[in-house]
Amino acid sequence: MKNTKQEKKQQVDDAKRTFLSGENFYAQHLLGAHQEQDGYIFRVWAPNALAVSLVGDFNNWQDLPMEKDESSGIWQVYTDKANEGELYKFKVKQADGREILKIDPFAVRFEKRPGDAAELYNFPEKKWKDGLWRGRSKRTNAFKRPLNIYEMHASSWKHHEDGAPYSFADLKDELVPYLAEMNYTHVEFMPLMEHPLGRSWGYQLIGYFAMSSYYGTPAEFQDFVEACHLNNIGVLVDWVPGHYCINDDTLPYYDGTPQFEYTDPDRAKNNRWGSINFDLGKPQVQSFLISSAMYWIEMFHIDGIRVDAVSSMIYRDYDDGPWTPNHEGGNRNFEGYYFLQKLNAVIKLAHPNILMIAEESSSETPVTGMIESGSLGFDFKWNMGWMNDVLRFYEMDPLYRKDNFNLITFSFMYMMQENFILPLSHDEVVHGKKSLMHKMWGDRYKQFAQLRNLYTYFMTHPGKKLLFMGSEWGQFLEWKFDKGLEWVDLDDPLNHSMQHFTAELNDFYKNQTALWELEDSYDTIEIIDADNTEESVLTFMRKGKRKKDFLIIVLNMTPIERREFHIGVPYPGTYKEIWNTEMKEFGGTWTKHNEDCQSEPIKFKEYGQLIKTTVPALGAIILKPETINTRKK
């Protein structure tokens, strides 16, 4: 028994040492509350606190003094009075003598809002059944596979009749079949970690190891993820390692001194979002954050993490307030830069198949690719430039599109600089920006026609895909975080047809290898005509590995039908229309496809063969070779 106690003490001492050095990536096993013998042991890191006490339901919220390990700054106490389900906090006597009740930064469960006390919670043992999915993921190259993400805010997808949001138990029953029916490959949730204010959408966190009790229990989320995997759907989660909630009883100035935050108040304060920035260069903070990421990956079997607001972590001048140049006189935040490289290196070493995704708005720093080449080491980056340009274009009166055609073609110049995801995200359908449907020019019929056109461009442009919930059927109202989506829209035939269109387009994307097989190479695309500004028609090809595997995409950006439209093709033969956004089943007026096109030996641009067809007004068509001779051009 003595040796066992000594071994356990050594394990704890080793965990403290690696926590202090920034190399403990399972710090939740050391800190927080843990069941031990007939009670619980509590540990909290507060190096400059004058005293710390444990208070909770089990001691009538009276002080139970904790003992400090001077070498680590970690306070500890054991009690056999605590029971699962009871609430607790730490009373911290801060460096200036002020006493304040603080949360447990490592809590895995919190009481429901508006309270923020931690709850003692023991995970029920989960016997996972998703081994087939996880094994297949390890053998799959994500860069050469379809990736089509349905982005969600968990509590505003649907509400019950009494106004209560769906829990993950509800989402398991309704959302999983919906994702399968709509042919999405992945679902991505805005942050699920504990946050006290719903209005923050989860981007101002207090609990980095706790799923918000607003969404149900951690066990329910585990079951949800498993159900997704059994239906061949991946699960991604947003995560916010840059900044955190400013509430005084949470993480800020935990022991009365800059503990989780930068010492420089200008660097600590995030003026833009009214929050506090993590000191990403501090080893203990690195242990805390990387442990959080690993926890979500391993405890919930998620398939990837989208890191929010990367620009705010790698540039000192990103915020609206005063800033100080680094030691080289520049704006690089070296602490954030090296932390993100370390984060990606650690996660990829332990879990090579986990997708690491960056939401980053600048182009000054390589984000995806090998860390050894100076990149941050992410797998994918949101293409914010594409999103901004394209939405500006589709909001525009077609009369002016010919003079702004570069808005939809400029992305072809840089599309391989990073591994991109094309995001039509929540950020574009709030704060008066209008929904995607509402952004479209013209009357209601033209708006739907353009939305179908936009989604076809979105799905055929190189890059993985992300679409925010409600956009799949063209919800007209902006997203509201505290209400369910406008499901009543689907009683309208045009909205219903739009939803059907999106499901069919998603299925088309999954089944057309030319849209993703060579996506990490310029070989995936060939521009046929990006200079037809007068007619405002864009024509390009997407190509797969096989010579005969290619698609011809034609997008008409005006309300004028283009008859006898000329398209250059690489080989002589017959070309078949396999996609037309104006089909009646999608909400258009066409009852049958264009007839097959037989090429003629007429030169067009760089091509020796020409086909002619009709392109619908504000419509898009896709052609595929039916019978061609690849030995001739």
Side-chain angles (χ1 to χ4, degrees):
M1 180 64 72
K2 184 177 180 182
N3 288 337
T4 303
K5 287 183 177 179
Q6 287 178 343
E7 288 172 2
K8 186 154 191 173
K9 181 180 182 304
Q10 186 61 53
Q11 289 173 352
V12 170
D13 289 344
D14 289 344
K16 289 178 179 178
R17 176 179 51 78
T18 53
F19 173 75
L20 295 177
S21 67
E23 300 299 322
N24 188 334
F25 308 133
Y26 295 91
Q28 73 274 16
H29 298 323
L30 168 68
L31 293 147
H34 300 279
Q35 197 165 28
E36 192 169 289
Q37 298 171 1
D38 295 325
Y40 284 83
I41 190 164
F42 297 80
R43 296 190 188 96
V44 63
W45 175 57
N48 295 308
L50 300 178
V52 181
S53 297
L54 173 68
V55 298
D57 291 337
F58 40 82
N59 64 0
N60 294 316
W61 296 86
Q62 301 301 306
D63 292 6
L64 178 60
M66 301 178 74
E67 184 179 347
K68 183 181 183 182
D69 172 17
E70 294 293 342
S71 64
S72 65
I74 291 173
W75 300 75
Q76 173 176 316
V77 70
Y78 170 81
T79 175
D80 58 6
K81 306 297 183 186
N83 298 290
E84 184 174 10
E86 293 183 307
L87 303 179
Y88 71 95
K89 280 194 171 188
F90 296 119
K91 182 185 282 188
V92 180
K93 187 173 184 180
Q94 296 184 320
D96 62 357
R98 176 177 176 242
E99 286 191 337
I100 184 169
L101 290 177
K102 286 281 193 176
I103 66 164
D104 178 359
F106 285 85
V108 297
R109 182 85 172 147
F110 285 87
E111 66 178 321
K112 289 189 176 179
R113 304 171 190 160
D116 61 7
E119 177 186 326
L120 290 170
Y121 180 86
N122 300 326
F123 271 87
E125 186 177 351
K126 170 77 173 171
K127 293 183 178 179
W128 289 87
K129 302 174 185 175
D130 62 349
L132 185 62
W133 165 270
R134 285 164 67 83
R136 190 164 58 241
S137 296
K138 290 178 181 178
R139 298 189 299 271
T140 299
N141 183 343
F143 302 104
K144 298 181 184 294
R145 295 293 301 162
L147 179 61
N148 186 12
I149 303 165
Y150 187 67
E151 189 197 22
M152 285 192 57
H153 181 251
S155 61
S156 58
W157 187 66
K158 274 189 180 181
H159 280 198
H160 293 287
E161 289 185 6
D162 64 358
Y166 272 27
S167 69
F168 269 103
D170 300 318
L171 292 173
K172 175 188 169 185
D173 293 337
E174 290 201 32
L175 175 61
V176 176
Y178 183 76
L179 293 169
E181 179 186 347
M182 292 299 295
N183 297 305
Y184 284 99
T185 68
H186 289 71
V187 60
E188 178 179 323
F189 291 100
M190 295 159 70
L192 300 176
M193 301 84 190
E194 192 61 72
H195 52 284
L197 183 65
R199 194 180 300 275
S200 78
W201 310 338
Y203 291 102
Q204 295 200 15
L205 302 178
I206 62 171
Y208 277 76
F209 296 83
M211 191 185 85
S212 175
S213 55
Y214 194 66
Y215 301 139
T217 68
E220 287 173 342
F221 184 54
Q222 288 180 322
D223 290 343
F224 171 85
V225 174
E226 180 178 73
C228 282
H229 289 173
L230 293 175
N231 284 272
N232 295 317
I233 297 163
V235 181
L236 313 173
V237 173
D238 285 10
W239 182 61
V240 192
H243 61 101
Y244 51 91
C245 178
I246 201 168
N247 288 11
D248 194 32
D249 59 343
T250 61
L251 295 181
Y253 300 95
Y254 197 90
D255 63 9
T257 67
Q259 184 176 326
F260 289 94
E261 51 276 291
Y262 290 104
T263 302
D264 180 348
D266 288 337
R267 299 187 70 190
K269 187 176 181 182
N270 192 311
N271 295 285
R272 181 171 297 188
W273 295 313
S275 55
I276 302 290
N277 294 322
F278 280 109
D279 181 349
L280 298 172
K282 188 173 287 185
Q284 299 93 326
V285 171
Q286 293 178 0
S287 289
F288 173 76
L289 289 172
I290 296 176
S291 294
S292 168
M294 293 285 277
Y295 169 82
W296 281 86
I297 292 166
E298 296 181 0
M299 185 60 72
F300 298 105
H301 285 200
I302 63 171
D303 302 281
I305 290 174
R306 192 211 72 153
V307 178
D308 182 65
V310 167
S311 291
S312 71
M313 289 183 273
I314 60 176
Y315 301 114
R316 285 182 172 225
D317 59 347
Y318 180 81
D319 197 17
D320 298 328
W323 67 281
T324 306
N326 60 36
H327 65 277
E328 294 181 354
N331 69 342
R332 166 76 72 218
N333 181 351
F334 287 110
E335 294 94 332
Y337 179 85
Y338 291 122
F339 164 74
L340 290 171
Q341 287 189 325
K342 179 177 180 178
L343 167 74
N344 285 315
V346 169
I347 288 177
K348 284 298 182 179
L349 182 63
H351 301 285
N353 57 308
I354 290 296
L355 298 180
M356 296 298 293
I357 302 167
E359 188 253 337
E360 205 274 319
S361 54
S362 75
S363 58
E364 298 172 34
T365 300
V367 171
T368 61
M370 300 294 289
I371 291 172
E372 292 80 2
S373 66
S375 158
L376 294 177
F378 286 94
D379 294 307
F380 293 102
K381 172 185 174 179
W382 276 20
N383 192 338
M384 311 293 278
W386 176 89
M387 177 268 300
N388 285 315
D389 288 348
V390 164
L391 292 183
R392 275 182 59 203
F393 183 85
Y394 278 87
E395 287 182 86
M396 192 177 291
D397 188 316
L399 186 65
Y400 305 109
R401 289 179 180 175
K402 64 181 181 181
D403 297 320
N404 294 277
F405 212 60
N406 64 308
L407 288 174
I408 60 162
T409 59
F410 178 62
S411 56
F412 293 141
M413 303 293 291
Y414 64 84
M415 60 188 173
M416 296 299 160
Q417 288 182 6
E418 302 273 11
N419 299 322
F420 283 120
I421 290 176
L422 308 181
L424 295 172
S425 74
H426 67 276
D427 272 329
E428 305 317 307
V429 295
V430 290
H431 299 325
K433 293 180 183 178
K434 301 186 290 191
S435 68
L436 294 184
M437 171 64 178
H438 197 180
K439 291 178 196 287
M440 300 296 107
W441 168 87
D443 60 29
R444 183 169 167 79
Y445 182 88
K446 291 186 177 70
Q447 286 178 318
F448 274 110
Q450 286 172 106
L451 200 61
R452 296 191 298 268
N453 183 306
L454 167 62
Y455 289 178
T456 302
Y457 180 50
F458 163 70
M459 205 61 74
T460 56
H461 188 291
K464 308 304 185 186
K465 324 298 174 186
L466 178 142
L467 185 69
F468 186 59
M469 63 181 194
S471 302
E472 71 269 25
W473 70 74
Q475 177 171 304
F476 187 80
L477 296 179
E478 281 192 338
W479 167 58
K480 297 180 177 64
F481 77 92
D482 55 350
K483 298 183 184 301
L485 296 176
E486 299 289 327
W487 292 94
V488 68
D489 287 350
L490 294 174
D491 293 337
D492 182 287
L494 283 174
N495 287 112
H496 191 270
S497 295
M498 186 70 213
Q499 185 190 46
H500 170 64
F501 170 86
T502 304
E504 291 297 301
L505 181 61
N506 290 347
D507 188 58
F508 181 88
Y509 167 69
K510 283 202 295 186
N511 289 307
Q512 295 295 332
T513 54
L515 293 178
W516 39 262
E517 202 170 48
L518 298 175
E519 198 163 44
D520 56 351
S521 162
Y522 272 107
D523 292 338
T524 191
I525 190 167
E526 190 171 312
I527 307 300
I528 297 175
D529 189 0
D531 301 320
N532 188 354
T533 56
E534 193 60 37
E535 292 181 297
S536 297
V537 180
L538 174 63
T539 316
F540 61 94
M541 274 190 281
R542 291 296 306 277
K543 299 187 290 184
K545 289 179 181 178
R546 294 178 295 108
K547 204 170 187 180
K548 292 185 178 182
D549 184 17
F550 63 90
L551 303 174
I552 296 170
I553 297 96
V554 187
L555 300 145
N556 182 1
M557 307 301 188
T558 69
I560 302 168
E561 184 176 271
R562 304 296 180 187
R563 298 182 180 180
E564 292 287 302
F565 186 77
H566 291 196
I567 305 166
V569 294
Y571 306 110
T574 305
Y575 292 79
K576 184 181 187 65
E577 181 181 279
I578 60 171
W579 189 259
N580 188 318
T581 60
E582 275 300 301
M583 299 306 293
K584 195 167 185 178
E585 65 171 307
F586 297 150
T589 58
W590 286 38
T591 57
K592 61 179 182 178
H593 282 277
N594 279 304
E595 293 183 357
D596 292 357
C597 303
Q598 179 64 46
S599 71
E600 303 174 61
I602 300 172
K603 186 174 176 59
F604 180 89
K605 296 277 185 175
E606 303 300 319
Y607 301 92
Q609 296 286 321
L610 175 74
I611 59 174
K612 300 173 186 176
T613 192
T614 299
V615 188
L618 296 173
I621 62 172
I622 299 176
L623 302 144
K624 192 167 186 174
E626 180 81 350
T627 307
I628 58 171
N629 185 348
T630 57
R631 289 173 291 182
K632 289 186 178 181
K633 288 199 175 185

